[in-house]
Amino acid sequence: MVKRITHSKKGIGTALGAVFYIGIVLLSLFTLITISSYQMKYLQTRDKMVEFDIKRMSENINIIGLNQPSPKPGYTFDLIVNNIGGVTVKIARIYVYDNKTGNLSIFDEQKDSGEIGFINGVIMPGEGGHIINVKAQEYLDNSTNYRYRIVVCTERGRQF
């Protein structure tokens, strides 16, 4: 007599079901981990932006005077400012608008000492009488008191 080798097919459905169930569980765990990582990145970014907004609203500087000509050699005029806010302010750009002619001069921080722009644009909290030296192509006209509008922009986007 020849014995036949028979295979039982009773456990195949259960094994396939178990593999399918484990795959769904792993997929859901991977999805939860991915969602939580994106949620964490969002919360960190939101916290940074809230801190940035608080610091931005804490900036408060006043332009109290203008020296022309500048006592510092090579510079045209000086802005004298007070930082009455609670954070360090870094000046990003200075706009000088001539109300009579409509000309707008824009000054950025100097990269080299010979170019047009300004230096000394970091103002500590509570610092008074801070001098920002500006090098321009021409002097400001002293004939009228309110001829120029000077706007100082900070690195965080505030304008004074």
Side-chain angles (χ1 to χ4, degrees), residues 3 23 40 44 46-47 96 115 125 130 134 136-137 154 159:
K3 280 188 170 180
M40 185 63 68
Q44 288 173 347
R46 188 191 68 181
D47 291 343
V96 178
E115 66 183 14
H130 182 85
V134 181
Q137 290 179 342
T154 68
Q159 297 179 357

Side-chain angles (χ1 to χ4, degrees), residues 34-118:
T34 303
I35 290 171
S36 70
S37 71
Y38 280 114
Q39 180 74 12
M40 185 63 68
K41 288 178 186 178
Y42 166 75
L43 292 175
Q44 288 173 347
T45 303
R46 188 191 68 181
D47 291 343
K48 286 179 185 177
M49 291 308 297
V50 167
E51 181 181 347
F52 180 83
D53 285 341
I54 289 171
K55 286 182 179 178
R56 187 173 71 87
M57 294 309 294
S58 296
E59 290 181 339
N60 195 2
I61 60 173
N62 289 333
I63 300 173
I64 59 169
L66 178 77
N67 287 337
Q68 181 176 264
S70 174
K72 187 169 180 126
Y75 289 90
T76 312
F77 60 91
D78 296 336
L79 288 177
I80 304 168
V81 297
N82 289 341
N83 183 358
I84 57 177
V87 294
T88 301
V89 175
K90 183 172 183 192
I91 305 301
R93 183 169 276 178
I94 299 172
Y95 297 96
V96 178
Y97 180 73
D98 188 341
N99 290 323
K100 190 172 185 181
T101 64
N103 292 336
L104 176 66
S105 300
I106 301 173
F107 302 102
D108 291 324
E109 190 172 9
Q110 285 183 338
K111 305 275 189 267
D112 296 324
S113 61
E115 66 183 14
I116 293 174
F118 65 91

Side-chain angles (χ1 to χ4, degrees), residues 10-30:
K10 291 182 180 180
I12 291 179
T14 305
L16 288 176
V19 168
F20 184 70
Y21 178 74
I22 291 172
I24 289 176
V25 169
L26 288 176
L27 182 65
S28 63
L29 285 175
F30 177 73

